[in-house]
């Protein structure tokens, strides 16, 4: 038995839901552990954020295709014809072995992760491969390794609603309403609006930075565009898009089909609460990070220290909401 087949066998739980969810989570920690080794040796954080994006995309892809991988491995072992790979385009018409919600959410995460990863990699490359967050970490192997495993936890919790919906057996989606539901519409709109807001805010800041470097202005902090509506419009967009993902996935997970697929059909309120928690942990964790850990506190503290005694900064801070935009 090959290592690959051994892993498939070890993770083949009695509940198909867990047989997809658990390996997908395990992959996040495996990739981050492997990425940590050369980073620790070289004492560089240059590829830290990029490895995070790769982990998002890899775990999403595994959760989407693992049931088929298992079926094909079983067919190969039995000497029978292997089932075809599910069709992404077929999912849109309901004939591809996948549900369109799985495809939409997987694509949504992949688009976000690709954009964020390339954006952050470009930024750290322009800063000579260093990030001030790692000044006290990169020289300590245990702390640096902890940072990579913390990133694996971040991926796992943020990705949980997508992993959960992808882990549902394909046969159960046939019992979902054929029509698009309210949570489908609301979730998709929140995601599209959120990522658009985030991308626009990041581009406005990049343009402002470049203009400052070329001496087109001498402003010390950005107060134009979306940054005149919120002090952290990029973070608002981030929370909004993950709320959209959680809303769309949650609508499926709390349904009768979702409860059966998760193995919680007989748990009544506990089952629905569990489903809501698996969906809601994503935007909740993102909000916790941005409001209490590495996002807003660091940014606000840095700018308060630099410009806190300036009247123009005080006016901007007083008249501009910290998070929710004022239009």
């Amino acid at each position: 038995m090959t290592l690959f087949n051994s892993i498939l066998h070890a993770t083949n739980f009695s509940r198909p839901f867990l047989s997809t969810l658990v390996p997908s989570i395990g992959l996040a920690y495996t990739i981050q552990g492997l990425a940590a080794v050369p980073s620790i040796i070289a004492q560089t954080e240059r590829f830290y954020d990029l490895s995070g994006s790769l982990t998002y995309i890899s775990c999403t892809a595994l959760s989407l295709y693992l049931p088929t991988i298992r079926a094909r491995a079983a067919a190969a072992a039995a000497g029978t014809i292997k089932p075809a790979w599910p069709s992404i385009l077929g999912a849109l018409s309901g004939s591809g072995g996948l549900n369109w919600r799985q495809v939409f959410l997987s694509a949504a995460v992949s688009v976000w992760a690709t954009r964020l990863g390339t954006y952050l990699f470009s930024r750290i490359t322009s800063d000579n491969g260093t990030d001030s967050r790692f000044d006290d970490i990169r020289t300590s192997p245990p702390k640096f390794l902890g940072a990579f495993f913390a990133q694996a936890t971040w991926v796992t919790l943020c990705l949980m609603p997508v992993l959960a919906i992808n882990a549902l057996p394909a046969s159960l989606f046939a019992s979902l309403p054929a029509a698009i539901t309210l949570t489908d519409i609301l979730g998709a709109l929140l995601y599209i609006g959120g990522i658009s807001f985030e991308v626009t805010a990041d581009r406005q800041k990049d343009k402002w930075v470049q203009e400052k470097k070329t001496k087109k202005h001498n402003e010390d902090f950005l107060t134009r565009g979306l940054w005149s509506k919120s002090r952290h419009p990029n973070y608002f967009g981030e929370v909004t898009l993950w709320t959209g993902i959680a809303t769309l996935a949650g609508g499926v997970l709390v349904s009768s089909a979702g409860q059966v697929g998760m193995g919680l059909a007989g748990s009544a309120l506990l089952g629905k609460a569990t489903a809501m928690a698996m969906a809601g942990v994503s935007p909740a964790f993102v909000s916790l990070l941005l409001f209490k850990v590495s996002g807003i506190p660091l940014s606000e503290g840095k700018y308060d220290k630099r410009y806190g005694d300036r009247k123009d900064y005080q006016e901007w801070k007083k008249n501009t909401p910290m998070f929710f935009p004022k239009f």
Side-chain angles (χ1 to χ4, degrees), residues 111-284:
V111 168
W112 169 84
T114 300
R115 189 205 76 85
L116 184 65
T118 53
Y119 172 76
L120 293 177
F121 183 68
S122 175
R123 188 174 71 177
I124 197 172
T125 299
S126 65
D127 290 336
N128 298 317
T130 60
D131 186 330
S132 60
R133 295 176 300 171
F134 295 86
D135 288 347
D136 299 325
I137 295 178
R138 70 173 71 89
T139 56
S140 171
K143 290 182 179 180
F144 210 179
L145 179 62
F148 278 92
F149 282 138
Q151 181 158 249
T153 302
W154 169 59
V155 172
T156 298
L157 294 179
C158 288
L159 204 53
M160 186 59 68
V162 180
L163 298 181
I165 195 173
N166 285 350
L168 295 177
S171 59
L172 293 175
F173 284 98
S175 59
L176 288 174
I180 295 176
T181 65
L182 178 61
T183 53
D184 293 335
I185 297 173
L186 182 59
L189 289 177
L190 284 171
Y191 170 79
I192 294 171
I195 196 170
S196 299
F197 211 87
E198 182 178 44
V199 169
T200 300
D202 284 340
R203 287 180 176 176
Q204 287 178 349
K205 189 165 188 178
D206 283 344
K207 181 180 179 181
W208 178 85
V209 170
Q210 292 304 317
E211 288 176 348
K212 186 174 178 64
K213 288 181 179 179
T214 56
K215 301 186 184 303
K216 291 184 178 180
H217 67 77
N218 61 354
E219 300 167 355
D220 291 318
F221 45 91
L222 177 57
T223 60
R224 293 182 266 123
L226 293 181
W227 300 83
S228 68
K229 311 300 181 182
S230 167
R231 300 204 299 272
H232 304 281
N234 51 340
Y235 295 154
F236 172 77
E238 180 83 354
V239 173
T240 301
L241 73 89
W242 285 111
T243 301
I245 287 174
T247 300
L248 201 157
V252 175
L253 297 177
V254 300
S255 69
S256 298
Q259 293 291 283
V260 171
M262 296 171 68
L264 300 172
S267 302
L269 292 178
L270 178 60
K272 291 188 180 296
T274 301
M276 291 178 67
M278 294 189 75
V281 68
S282 177

Side-chain angles (χ1 to χ4, degrees), residues 63-85:
S63 67
L64 197 62
Y65 287 104
L66 185 54
T68 304
I69 292 173
R70 290 187 184 280
R72 289 174 64 87
T80 58
I81 298 176
K82 296 179 182 179
W85 292 101

